[in-house]
Amino acid sequence: MPDIPQTECREAIALRAAGKAFALDDGGSVVALDGIDISIREGEFVAILGPSGCGKSTVLRLVAGLETATSGTVHIEGRAPAELAAHHRLGVAFQDHALLPWLSVSDNVALPFRVARKPVARDTIARLIALVGLSGFENARPSQLSGGMRQRASIARALALDPDVLLLDEPFGALDAVTRRHMNIELQRIWSARTLTTVLVTHSVEEALFLADRIIVMTGRPGRVLRDVAVPFARPRTPEALRTAQFHAMVDDLTRALEPQG
Amino acid sequence: MNRLVPFLSRYWAVLLLVVVWHAWVTLGDLNSIVLPAPLPVLADVVTHPALYLTNAAQTMATALAGVAIGVLLGAFVAILAWASRLLAGLLTPLGLIFSSVPIVALIPILARVLGYDISTVVAIVAVSAFFPTFVFTGAGLRDLPRATDDLFKVLGATPWGRLRHLVLPATVPNVMISLRLTVPEGVLAAILAEFLMGRSGLGFMFREAASRFAMERALGTSLVVTLAAVLFFTLAHRAERAVKARWS
């Protein structure tokens, strides 16, 4: 192993006492997040796990700069998320693939270059399309692809500009269980090929355990951090890791943590 | 025989109309000044190809130029209204008022202002195409594919980048819908304008022929007008379908 650079342990993403309240039409407000403290190191893969409505997507939207915190602070590399977005340093994949239907796969992957007004790196795009296993589909349009292939294309697009931070908001949430597991194995392989700070929002315990270095478990109404669990499995992880007793024990433990109290 | 059956099943209504027309003229023993039979009408068209073709070409060119100007202007103003809330407040009520004024009422006014020549006909067609395009393009600019707005924010797109790479391409199908709607409308507006104030084209040809009771010529003109309108509609419809397939 080459010597690990000093930056390895630097903090990449920091939420300090971050809160988010949404104003309602009747003049009141609803608290979606309450005093969230999350610290993510550079190069770390963190999964945010929680039941639907616990505010986990709001955490990701704060980090993506799509929402601003109503209290506390959110920083990426010491700067405001919107600033990083403006410098095209964020990669994102949503549950809705958000591919542009009138563009081919390769033009969709090239979109971040065009939006950033940078010369389109054709070789990078070809490499990313190969990385997500879509070689041969460069000229296909999104409507001609399966749901899983569309998500692969959207992940390739998220990686196009070699971002500092990769944000994944339930990217496989709309897929069936078999495709989803397959996509998790693929994502694990992609992530092993290029380690970068990643935040994955998911409601699947298995997905979080298989992919992440650390899992932050959230509870809802208002959203709070319930547990912060380190994932002990060595990388690269193979599908066999999903079948070990330790894996099953952790699945049971985290599933219990997600169940409503009382 | 193999080709005849689909042809009949598709155009039986048109053929029936021609048969009824012929029967009515023959059985009623009508004078050709009242109503000529289908065959003499067709004969007039076939024996004067140059006359019909030049006038048809002129009307079609006028209609196309007018539709092109109207659609481009309508789309441009829709983008202005999209970009600025102030302009939207200014332009939308104006658009609604103008679109509810019948084109027939506008023709004499525009003719008086712009003069009685072919550029006025183009302007009238452009006015008829402007408002549907304004409305449909405006709707298209606000109808973006799911989650793409968030995507462009995270990618750090500038307002211009968002317009160029997301909003404008997303509205292309709606511009094609406006084209499909305004092209037949444009042909109609061109003929109407020629009929009321023109000195050439199919509309003028019809009025001129009808005024001297040359009914074969008048109905021949109607026939050519109908064929042209159907042709234009079919082309616009095909173009819209092709774009829609590419865009979904």
Side-chain angles (χ1 to χ4, degrees):
Chain A
M1 247 231 158
D3 48 351
I4 295 156
Q6 277 279 274
T7 53
E8 187 72 17
C9 298
R10 229 171 54 186
E11 187 177 51
I13 301 170
L15 287 87
R16 303 244 188 282
K20 177 74 191 175
F22 290 100
L24 298 178
D25 287 340
D26 61 7
S29 69
V30 61
V31 178
L33 295 177
D34 186 27
I36 300 280
D37 282 296
I38 295 175
S39 170
I40 297 171
R41 289 192 312 278
E42 205 170 284
E44 194 177 23
F45 193 134
V46 170
I48 299 177
L49 182 66
S52 53
C54 74
K56 56 187 191 296
S57 282
T58 309
V59 170
L60 194 104
R61 290 179 69 82
L62 286 175
V63 176
L66 290 169
E67 309 275 358
T68 47
T70 40
S71 63
T73 58
V74 180
H75 284 119
I76 305 177
E77 295 165 356
R79 296 191 287 173
E83 209 180 312
L84 253 88
H87 286 92
H88 321 293
R89 300 310 312 146
L90 297 179
V92 71
F94 300 104
Q95 179 169 346
D96 285 310
H97 53 77
L99 297 172
L100 301 183
W102 54 86
L103 294 181
S104 67
V105 167
S106 64
D107 282 336
N108 265 295
V109 178
L111 183 72
F113 287 96
R114 300 217 163 92
V115 166
R117 283 181 282 188
K118 290 178 177 168
V120 176
R122 285 279 154 213
D123 51 334
T124 306
I125 289 158
R127 196 165 44 76
L128 283 172
I129 289 174
L131 182 70
V132 298
L134 282 179
S135 295
F137 292 94
E138 289 86 352
N139 297 320
R141 283 183 299 106
S143 60
Q144 297 164 319
L145 303 178
S146 68
M149 289 160 96
R150 284 177 209 162
Q151 289 303 347
R152 288 161 193 259
S154 115
I155 286 167
R157 180 181 59 192
L159 296 170
L161 290 177
D162 201 12
D164 293 352
V165 172
L166 178 63
L167 304 171
L168 305 171
D169 188 2
E170 302 245 16
F172 313 130
L175 304 179
D176 62 273
V178 175
T179 313
R180 186 173 188 151
R181 174 168 289 207
H182 185 65
M183 290 300 295
N184 281 334
I185 294 164
E186 291 287 301
L187 185 60
Q188 147 77 26
R189 181 180 60 75
I190 292 165
W191 201 78
S192 306
R194 47 194 296 158
T195 305
L196 79 165
T197 314
T198 304
V199 182
L200 167 75
V201 164
T202 182
H203 60 252
S204 159
V205 174
E206 285 88 351
E207 189 167 278
L209 273 171
F210 183 66
L211 291 169
D213 298 318
R214 195 151 58 92
I215 299 173
I216 290 163
V217 185
M218 287 184 63
T219 54
R221 298 197 182 91
R224 286 200 181 90
V225 173
L226 181 69
R227 286 173 68 180
D228 191 332
V229 184
V231 180
F233 309 116
R235 288 184 190 275
R237 292 171 193 164
T238 55
E240 280 70 51
L242 292 162
R243 288 191 271 274
T244 60
Q246 194 187 7
F247 189 88
H248 286 298
M250 289 196 80
V251 169
D252 290 343
D253 180 39
L254 288 170
T255 307
R256 258 198 306 280
L258 288 180
E259 272 162 18
Q261 270 80 36
Chain B
M1 192 64 195
N2 280 346
R3 283 209 212 139
L4 194 65
V5 172
F7 179 82
L8 282 178
S9 69
R10 213 167 158 186
Y11 299 107
W12 64 269
V14 178
L15 292 174
L16 185 69
L17 203 68
V18 173
V19 169
V20 168
W21 175 8
H22 184 79
W24 192 16
V25 171
T26 330
L27 296 176
D29 199 18
L30 295 177
N31 192 301
S32 74
I33 291 171
V34 180
L35 186 70
L39 218 57
V41 171
L42 193 66
D44 191 69
V45 177
V46 174
T47 51
H48 302 86
L51 177 74
Y52 279 97
L53 269 179
T54 48
N55 281 290
Q58 197 200 316
T59 301
M60 295 310 119
T62 314
L64 275 187
V67 166
I69 293 169
V71 165
L72 283 177
L73 221 59
F76 181 69
V77 174
I79 291 164
L80 286 184
W82 170 84
S84 147
R85 191 176 293 208
L86 183 75
L87 285 176
L90 221 65
L91 294 167
T92 311
L94 203 71
L96 284 175
I97 292 167
F98 262 88
S99 62
S100 48
V101 176
I103 194 78
V104 184
L106 284 177
I107 291 172
I109 301 167
L110 284 172
R112 189 143 296 263
V113 174
L114 300 173
Y116 289 82
D117 57 20
I118 194 151
S119 61
T120 306
V121 180
V122 173
I124 287 160
V125 177
V127 167
S128 82
F130 177 83
F131 293 105
T133 313
F134 175 70
V135 171
F136 273 93
T137 308
L141 292 168
R142 282 161 190 85
D143 184 20
L144 305 175
R146 283 162 71 95
T148 49
D149 224 359
D150 282 347
L151 173 79
F152 272 68
K153 275 187 199 135
V154 178
L155 289 178
T158 59
W160 166 245
R162 183 170 170 271
L163 180 68
R164 184 177 158 205
H165 294 292
L166 176 62
V167 176
L168 287 185
T171 197
V172 168
N174 277 46
V175 175
M176 293 309 290
I177 292 176
S178 5
L179 206 61
R180 191 241 300 157
L181 292 172
T182 55
V183 159
E185 197 73 13
V187 174
L188 185 76
I191 286 158
L192 196 60
E194 285 166 354
F195 180 82
L196 291 176
M197 49 137 302
R199 295 205 193 98
S200 54
L202 291 175
F204 172 77
M205 198 170 142
F206 180 87
R207 191 188 65 185
E208 188 274 327
S211 69
R212 61 182 170 85
F213 299 105
M215 293 319 285
E216 284 90 352
R217 178 66 45 85
L219 286 177
T221 315
S222 298
L223 183 70
V224 173
V225 165
T226 309
L227 288 177
V230 168
L231 177 77
F232 271 43
F233 177 79
T234 310
L235 288 178
H237 188 60
R238 288 221 177 134
E240 187 207 343
R241 269 214 311 230
V243 166
K244 215 167 156 187
R246 176 80 171 72
W247 247 253
S248 61

